[in-house]
Amino acid sequence: MRRGLILGACLGVCASAQVSPTRLVTAYPAFLARLDGNTLLWKDDTSMPLTAGRVFTSPADRLDHPDLRELLRQPYPACTPLHAPAYAQDPGRARPAVFFGKMYGSSPAAVKAKLVVVNWFGQPLMFSRVNGAADALRAVEHELTAQPALRKYLTPSAGTYLWRVVAGSTRQSAHSWGIAIDLNTRYSAYWEWSGYREFQHGIPYANRVPQAVVWAFERHGFVWGGRWYHSDTMHFEYRPELSGC
Ligand SMILES: [Zn+2]
């Protein structure tokens, strides 16, 4: 009982609970060579510190200026039963733009040059071919084709690539890199629609996306916005350093 309480109190906060940095190297082998202490070494002989040394002043500051340690701070509970996330649990929502831009492109033109068409239940969608992202989305579509009852949640997709910042912020959206897909808005819930402020306590959780859909994406390396306290249940993004079963 006591052990359970301690683990519960620690979830996603304790240093020991954070995701191992080696998962970055495993997830992105085309770009990353290895870790050397606090430094991530790229195959193009450049390097990036895991910790930038910034002293965060607020939860929002962590999302505005995340380093790689911040990206890895909260483990993502892939392929576990769906439940309302705890306060401020947003695993995958911190995205260092320099890190993702270096792989997927740091301008609209650079990203677009790496997009390919993915057939999403008859709807052509643009997705990045980098890191196998487009192939992963194709695999999700293939897997879910066998379950026609789920189709209404999946189509029409509300979009994939769009170079933009997250609404109301200066943060680059994962849609900018062509690695995110929004499903049918009709069955979706987005925290901002509730009228709450970011990090306000009590943001309601109202998911209608079935677990079978979420797990199919997670098996292929996507994280789901419905596992965030700031819930975005139409949103999936390719983040193999955090997801996968
Ligand atoms: Zn989205």
Side-chain angles (χ1 to χ4, degrees):
M1 186 64 177
R2 185 161 177 236
R3 177 180 164 79
L5 282 173
I6 291 168
L7 286 172
C10 261
L11 200 61
V13 177
C14 296
S16 60
Q18 73 178 20
V19 180
S20 168
T22 60
R23 284 202 58 170
L24 291 169
V25 180
T26 308
Y28 303 115
F31 291 93
L32 304 179
R34 63 188 173 87
L35 283 158
D36 183 8
N38 185 47
T39 304
L40 182 63
L41 301 172
W42 292 63
K43 286 191 168 172
D44 66 359
D45 291 330
T46 60
S47 63
M48 217 173 254
L50 291 179
T51 308
R54 183 183 181 90
V55 178
F56 295 112
T57 56
S58 67
D61 190 43
R62 291 178 178 276
L63 295 176
D64 288 337
H65 305 282
D67 55 19
L68 291 170
R69 283 279 181 201
E70 192 59 27
L71 179 160
L72 298 166
R73 186 170 61 89
Q74 297 181 331
Y76 180 84
C79 309
T80 61
L82 309 191
H83 56 80
Y87 174 75
Q89 286 298 300
D90 293 315
R93 205 162 163 248
R95 308 177 192 88
V98 174
F99 176 75
F100 290 104
K102 192 168 163 64
M103 296 193 290
Y104 296 107
S106 54
S107 68
V111 174
K112 281 182 188 172
K114 298 173 183 182
L115 299 180
V116 293
V117 177
V118 172
N119 173 26
W120 183 253
F121 303 98
Q123 182 181 2
L125 300 177
M126 302 307 291
F127 221 69
S128 181
R129 60 176 161 75
V130 175
N131 292 324
D135 286 341
L137 186 61
R138 291 186 182 108
V140 173
E141 195 249 13
H142 181 74
E143 194 171 317
L144 291 172
T145 296
Q147 301 185 66
L150 299 176
R151 195 69 52 84
K152 65 179 182 180
Y153 302 101
L154 306 170
T155 63
S157 161
T160 51
Y161 168 73
L162 183 63
W163 185 268
R164 64 173 173 87
V165 294
V166 177
S169 79
T170 57
R171 303 166 203 153
Q172 198 77 40
S173 161
H175 289 277
S176 301
W177 299 305
I179 57 170
I181 178 173
D182 289 334
L183 303 186
N184 189 351
T185 53
R186 184 171 178 180
Y187 299 97
S188 302
Y190 183 47
W191 71 273
E192 280 204 338
W193 296 344
S194 69
Y196 280 66
R197 296 187 312 279
E198 191 174 42
F199 290 105
Q200 186 174 352
H201 284 269
I203 295 176
Y205 173 79
N207 174 50
R208 296 164 72 188
V209 178
Q211 183 168 279
V213 171
V214 175
W215 285 8
F217 274 96
E218 290 178 344
R219 273 193 287 275
H220 295 286
F222 287 78
V223 301
W224 176 47
R227 294 208 191 266
W228 299 339
Y229 175 69
H230 296 91
S231 187
D232 183 358
T233 69
M234 79 184 94
H235 178 95
F236 289 86
E237 65 182 79
Y238 185 65
R239 300 289 297 282
E241 80 278 24
L242 296 175
S243 194
C245 300

